[in-house]
Amino acid sequence: MDPTQFLRASRVVIVAGKGGVGKTTVSAALARMAARQGLSALVVQVERTSSLASLFGRPPLTYVESMLAPAAGTVGEVRGRTITPDDALLEYLEDHGLRRISKRLVSTGAMDVVSTAAPGIKDILILGKVKALERSGAADLIVIDAPAAGHAITFLLSVRGLLDAVRVGPINAQARDVLELLTDPERTTVVLVTLPEETPVNELVETAFSLEDRVGVSLGPVVVNGVYPTVPGLDISPAEAAAAAGITLRPGDEPALSAAASFRRHRQVLQHAQVERLAELLPIPQLRLPFLFDASLGPAHVDVLADALADEVVRLPDPVPPAGAWCR
């Protein structure tokens, strides 16, 4: 499938997954992939503690948009921002002529009182702002670095909960607009991220069915992150490999190399089993990203993952079946 076609399938992509699977890294790679296809991308984080900006070598994001990677030649720009309920509420009140009291409401904890009385209001404030960005054409692609998987379900389910709790008024209207955004596959797709390990795979499958059955969102391909690349020659003894390469091993090298090869073989077998199990439990195409053997990731790593993601997209069937049919 053509990467540009894939990226233009939905204007908003919500990236979600269990904490620690690398969804923030995947969000950055997806945005960078879009930029490398000549599109403009806006990455939105909904948690202030996200490491998103550091992946681009930039200072932490704020509510005000900032540049993460400028356009250059045929490469589009990547911008980023944080959207929190308090910031979204402040902007909403100020836009409606309530600037004088807006900051006082937030500073006095009124937002917490309101969220207790109307569960889901905080999520609606965030999603409402995302809806406004999508409608305004803020970027060719808006990538949402969503909360961890458990909260992601609550985050997206809050819309239906508010519709049941608040039957009339501006909150109801906002919730209906957001629900239209989330359930229209041409506007929004959810991309779930996992590691090729048992627990993350289990949680991803559970999240996928919950999101489609209870929220009605469209699911895109699953991203399997951190896959160890296949290394040839692991079954050859270090002594034989060294002899074939004309290398002399030092004392202690052979057992250390044998242990390393054994670990890598074992890891590859485990990962293959989990990837196959995921395919059986959830018949959704997979995009597999390589494990990067670095303690901290930066712009160069994001580019590597963006290229790997584009290569994986090319292998997708064309056209891709309707997203709503994946889990049925």
Side-chain angles (χ1 to χ4, degrees), residues 3 31 43 48 66 95 140 157 171 214 228-229 234-236 240 285 303:
V43 194
R48 292 188 185 276
S66 60
D95 288 347
D140 294 320
L157 274 176
I171 293 179
R214 299 169 63 190
Y228 276 42
L234 292 178
D235 294 325
I236 302 174
E240 292 175 336
D303 282 345

Side-chain angles (χ1 to χ4, degrees), residues 14-283:
I14 300 174
V15 181
K18 178 181 173 64
V21 300
K23 64 181 180 60
T24 297
T25 303
V26 171
S27 298
L30 185 59
R32 189 61 174 154
M33 172 189 165
R36 290 165 81 88
Q37 298 298 318
L39 306 178
S40 61
L42 171 63
V43 194
V44 175
Q45 64 180 35
V46 299
E47 297 174 329
R48 292 188 185 276
T49 56
S50 173
S51 60
L52 180 62
S54 66
L55 292 169
F56 291 90
R58 300 286 185 173
L61 297 176
T62 67
Y63 192 69
V64 178
E65 275 188 23
S66 60
M67 185 64 65
L68 292 176
T74 60
V75 177
E77 66 181 15
V78 179
R79 308 188 310 277
R81 67 181 299 167
T82 298
I83 298 180
T84 65
D86 286 351
D87 288 328
L89 177 61
L90 279 172
E91 183 181 39
Y92 177 84
L93 293 173
E94 290 176 1
D95 288 347
H96 288 76
L98 298 173
R99 180 180 181 87
R100 180 175 295 180
I101 65 169
S102 60
K103 292 185 178 181
R104 181 173 297 179
L105 284 172
V106 173
S107 64
T108 57
M111 189 67 244
D112 292 331
V113 175
V114 173
S115 63
T116 300
I121 192 68
K122 286 189 173 184
D123 296 329
I124 282 293
L125 284 167
I126 293 174
L127 291 168
K129 181 59 181 177
V130 171
K131 175 209 66 178
L133 290 171
E134 184 265 346
R135 282 185 172 177
S136 70
D140 294 320
L141 181 68
I142 299 175
V143 181
I144 311 298
D145 181 16
H151 185 194
I153 297 175
T154 306
F155 179 65
L156 298 173
L157 274 176
S158 61
V159 185
R160 293 193 182 277
L162 269 181
L163 282 174
D164 292 337
V166 183
R167 298 305 179 95
V168 295
I171 293 179
N172 178 275
Q174 180 78 294
R176 288 189 181 279
D177 286 346
V178 169
L179 187 61
E180 288 180 6
L181 169 70
L182 295 178
T183 55
D184 184 348
E186 293 186 358
R187 299 175 70 190
T188 303
T189 296
V190 174
V191 169
L192 297 175
V193 183
T194 186
L195 295 175
E197 300 172 7
E198 184 175 2
T199 300
V201 165
N202 290 342
E203 186 157 339
L204 180 140
V205 172
E206 181 180 347
T207 299
F209 282 98
S210 293
L211 288 177
E212 188 175 66
D213 293 342
R214 299 169 63 190
V215 183
V217 297
S218 295
L219 298 176
V222 171
V223 174
V224 183
N225 193 28
V227 177
Y228 276 42
T230 300
V231 176
L234 292 178
D235 294 325
I236 302 174
S237 72
E240 292 175 336
I247 298 173
T248 301
L249 296 179
R250 296 170 301 180
D253 281 352
E254 185 168 357
L257 291 171
S258 294
S262 176
F263 171 83
R264 188 64 174 260
R265 285 196 306 270
H266 180 65
R267 184 70 178 177
Q268 289 179 180
V269 169
L270 290 177
Q271 290 195 342
H272 178 74
Q274 291 304 320
V275 166
E276 291 297 310
R277 188 169 73 90
L278 174 59
E280 292 176 2
L281 295 173
L282 194 64

